[in-house]
Every structure is written in C-alpha cells, then in structure tokens.
Amino acid sequence: MVKPACVEETIIPAEYQTVRRQKLVCPATTRKISIPAEYEEVTKTIAKGPGKMQWERVLCQIDVTTDKVNAVKDALAAKGYTPGPQNGQLADADWAALKSSQEKNGLGVGELTYETLNSLGVSEK
C-alpha cells in the first residue's frame, strides 16, 4: 500500500425548496339552490307529405259570372270564412278565404275549381 486509508471531510451545502399546500379550513357542505326555468317558444314547419301536381277542372273566365262569385262568397261566409263584400269580383280577402277553405278540405289550392264549388255547395252552372 502506498498510502494508508484516511477520512476526508467535505461540506455539502443544503438544498431548500418551498412547498405550498392548500388546507381545508371548513368541511364541505351541500346547498340546494332553486334556479327558475327559462322557456322559449319554438315554431317549426313540418312537411306533412311530398307535394304533388295534378290536373283539375277550373272555371273558365266566361263561367265566372257576378252571380257565381257572389254565390261563392255567400257559401264561404256560411262556412265561417270572411270573404269581401258582395261586388261580383274576387278580391284578395276572397282568395284568402277560398284558399283556407281549399286547404281545410284537402282540395287543390289557388284556383276556382269544380271540386271547390261542389265542396261549397255552389252550382256549377
């Protein structure tokens, strides 16, 4: 052995670290809070079925007389619709009442058809 065993003292500096902890100060509790409901009205358009086109017999302009128009207005009024005044002409209010009647009865909408006259009880002639 060249050199005998020996002890050497070495100073190692201390390492510090800050540790943060959360402590529970009071125990957990449960509360019931009533929140009022909020409602919103939603309007949806739902297609009842596919639309279709079909041929229907309509009154010719020659057959749409003053008496026939007034008879149609009387029939619409009798069924609870609100047509315009008895003047022998179909105005916007008359067409709106006629359209409502046709939709309610499942008829073709938009013209004065023979089926519409039959549903209203108006003579075709």
Side-chain angles (χ1 to χ4, degrees), residues 75-91:
L76 286 170
K79 295 209 178 225
Y81 299 100
T82 54
Q86 295 282 340
N87 59 5
Q89 297 177 355
L90 290 171

Side-chain angles (χ1 to χ4, degrees), residues 35-81:
I35 300 173
E38 295 178 11
Y39 297 97
E40 182 178 335
E41 196 165 312
V42 178
T43 304
K44 292 184 178 180
T45 303
I46 299 173
K48 292 183 179 179
K52 63 179 181 177
M53 298 283 290
Q54 68 183 33
W55 290 98
E56 290 192 25
R57 285 180 52 206
V58 296
L59 265 78
C60 294
Q61 194 64 30
I62 296 170
D63 295 332
V64 182
T65 62
T66 302
D67 293 335
K68 178 119 15 221
V69 170
N70 288 337
V72 168
K73 288 184 181 189
D74 286 338
L76 286 170
K79 295 209 178 225
Y81 299 100

Side-chain angles (χ1 to χ4, degrees), residues 92-112:
D92 290 339
D94 305 321
W95 285 111
L98 191 63
K99 180 181 176 185
S100 296
S101 171
Q102 290 170 332
E103 287 175 348
K104 182 179 177 186
N105 294 310
L107 302 172
V109 177
E111 290 295 328
L112 194 55

